[in-house]
Amino acid sequence: MSSHHSHFRVPCRAAPAAAGATGNLATRPLRIGAACAVLLLAGAGWLSAAVAGSADAPRDLMVAGYLERVQIAGTDLVFKARLDSGATLSSLNALALERFELDGEPWVRFDVVDPEQEDERISFEYPITRDIRIVQHNGEHQRRPVIELTLCIGGHHRLAEVSLVDRSQFTYQLLVGRNHLRDAVLIDPGRRYLQPPQCPAASDGSHDPAGG
């Protein structure tokens, strides 16, 4: 069965935003009808994403499972994702990765596996915010592009960096790291899928880049 592609571009910076979009990052997914704004406590078995980054952890934290369904804001894409406070950055499976320039700025084009239909691919285009260099187990260095995505976990949503890497060998396409969890989410390692994603509507302009 041949693979089918849908296509997403996220205009920002020098590229014009889609009509009706709000915020500094906009998504124009062809799978949905409208342009959208982009919007573990050590002890007792708890792992705290908040404590990992701060000695004074806030008390009102959302409890999430170690696996959650996580939505990319501005799209209808919901991934089964692993939450990992041991990871500094979130990362997303990126296939057929291709760098290019748009209005003199570095961008990246890549595919993800459709979470609802594994024989289909969805294409994205995003501006690159920076590159990171990873030392692999064999000692070789790998350069990875980093983009910004708003991820929704329950009612928590945050715009933060996501590194792009081929995660085909892993079970989950999306790994949610500390940068999306800090000061907002506690991970219960014994439970799964506690918080269905509740992304804010594109039209309300709701977005807090510092936290959910």
Side-chain angles (χ1 to χ4, degrees):
M1 185 173 181
S2 59
S3 293
H4 173 72
H5 275 72
S6 296
H7 189 78
F8 293 72
R9 171 171 283 184
V10 180
C12 78
R13 296 181 179 173
T22 59
N24 67 336
L25 223 63
T27 303
R28 190 174 62 221
L30 299 185
R31 294 178 62 212
I32 55 181
C36 303
V38 144
L39 292 138
L40 177 166
L41 290 171
W46 288 93
L47 302 176
S48 169
V51 175
S54 171
D56 300 317
R59 295 181 180 179
D60 294 333
L61 302 176
M62 181 183 73
V63 177
Y66 73 99
L67 298 178
E68 289 291 348
R69 291 178 175 86
V70 177
Q71 183 173 356
I72 297 178
T75 80
D76 59 353
L77 296 178
V78 178
F79 295 92
K80 290 182 179 179
R82 179 186 168 199
L83 277 55
D84 184 2
S85 67
T88 303
L89 288 182
S90 300
S91 63
L92 177 65
N93 185 37
L95 308 174
L97 192 150
E98 177 187 358
R99 295 171 183 262
F100 66 100
E101 283 194 2
L102 182 64
D103 295 331
E105 297 291 331
W107 281 60
V108 63
R109 180 182 297 114
F110 62 95
D111 295 345
V112 299
V113 177
D114 188 321
E116 296 182 359
Q117 302 184 58
E118 293 185 359
D119 60 338
E120 296 191 2
R121 301 291 182 267
I122 302 168
S123 296
F124 287 87
E125 292 179 356
Y126 275 90
I128 297 173
T129 59
R130 66 186 177 109
D131 287 286
I132 57 175
R133 191 175 66 169
I134 303 297
V135 181
Q136 299 179 300
H137 295 296
N138 59 9
E140 295 183 358
H141 292 80
Q142 182 186 55
R143 179 184 174 213
R144 297 180 185 175
V146 175
I147 64 174
E148 288 188 330
L149 285 178
T150 298
L151 301 182
C152 303
I153 309 167
H156 167 65
H157 56 98
R158 176 178 294 168
L159 176 65
E161 292 184 326
V162 176
S163 67
L164 301 178
V165 61
D166 187 340
R167 292 180 53 84
S168 300
Q169 72 274 30
F170 295 107
T171 303
Y172 304 101
Q173 289 199 81
L174 178 61
L175 176 75
V176 182
R178 283 200 307 274
N179 61 324
H180 275 102
L181 303 172
R182 184 182 292 113
D183 297 334
V185 179
L186 286 173
I187 304 172
D188 183 342
R191 304 177 72 184
R192 308 184 301 170
Y193 307 123
L194 303 179
Q195 303 290 347
Q198 304 170 36
C199 282
S203 60
D204 67 8
S206 295
H207 175 64
D208 178 3

